[in-house]
Amino acid sequence: MFFTWMEDAAIGRILLAGDHEGLRFLVFDQQSSRDRHRVPKPEWEHNDAHFRDTIRQLKAYFAGDLQQFDVPLAGQGTEFQKRVWKALKKVPYGETATYGDIAKAIGSPTASRAVGMANGRNPISIIVPCHRIIGTSGKLVGYGGGLHRKTALLKLEGIAV
């Protein structure tokens, strides 16, 4: 596994980790305690060059010049989680959806809570846009990187928060 840090991200330091299959993690430094296992492990190899294009795309996103990423992804999870993450990628830039919307989109209309859990386990924040998912009431609810980051990402995309 390769890793690097994106030090100058608009919303804080970001850890990128992946291999030849694709990006496996995009997590914020000092994210929630459940993500401590994602810190670079001793066997991981620091490799800035491996993530050059991903960082270029992230910088373009933060500058408002990119709305859709073209990065090979290799996030690991259950089949249900992968279905949720695939549906998250279909929520357009500048729009939001609810957990119920995603549950319906994956053919499990009563699985809003399970969708919320899968959303919270998304290993590739921003690129798999879990920040675009809001509560049924329209309020911002939960975000592994903190609600301040979720708010910043939504504002960046022109969404009134």
Side-chain angles (χ1 to χ4, degrees):
M1 179 93 68
F2 304 119
F3 79 94
T4 195
W5 291 98
M6 184 175 175
E7 300 287 346
D8 54 351
I11 55 174
R13 190 174 184 226
I14 295 175
L15 171 66
L16 301 169
D19 55 25
H20 296 295
E21 289 184 39
L23 187 64
R24 294 199 182 270
F25 299 112
L26 186 159
V27 294
F28 303 105
D29 192 17
Q30 300 176 343
Q31 197 163 315
S32 68
S33 60
R34 73 168 187 259
D35 292 312
R36 288 185 190 159
H37 68 282
R38 295 182 183 157
V39 298
K41 296 180 182 176
E43 65 271 16
W44 291 8
E45 177 184 333
H46 187 252
N47 185 330
D48 294 334
H50 185 80
F51 301 97
R52 191 171 288 128
D53 186 54
T54 302
I55 289 174
R56 179 191 59 75
Q57 289 185 46
L58 285 165
K59 286 180 177 181
Y61 169 80
F62 289 127
D65 297 329
L66 182 79
Q67 296 185 0
Q68 190 167 355
F69 292 91
D70 180 22
V71 174
L73 305 177
Q76 295 181 324
T78 67
E79 288 308 311
F80 181 81
Q81 288 170 332
K82 289 177 183 179
R83 284 182 21 230
V84 169
W85 301 337
K86 185 176 181 180
L88 295 178
K89 288 182 63 184
K90 293 179 181 176
V91 178
Y93 179 97
E95 296 183 25
T96 59
T98 66
Y99 297 102
D101 294 334
I102 299 299
K104 289 174 192 162
I106 64 168
S108 299
T110 61
S112 295
R113 285 188 179 185
V115 165
M117 297 284 288
N119 194 53
R121 299 271 186 238
N122 173 19
I124 307 173
S125 296
I126 303 172
I127 294 174
V128 177
C130 52
H131 61 277
R132 295 180 189 152
I133 309 307
I134 59 173
T136 303
S137 67
K139 293 189 178 198
L140 301 186
V141 291
Y143 188 65
L147 286 179
H148 67 290
R149 286 191 178 111
K150 182 173 190 160
T151 299
L153 291 168
L154 292 174
K155 284 182 177 179
L156 172 77
E157 294 186 16
I159 299 169
V161 188

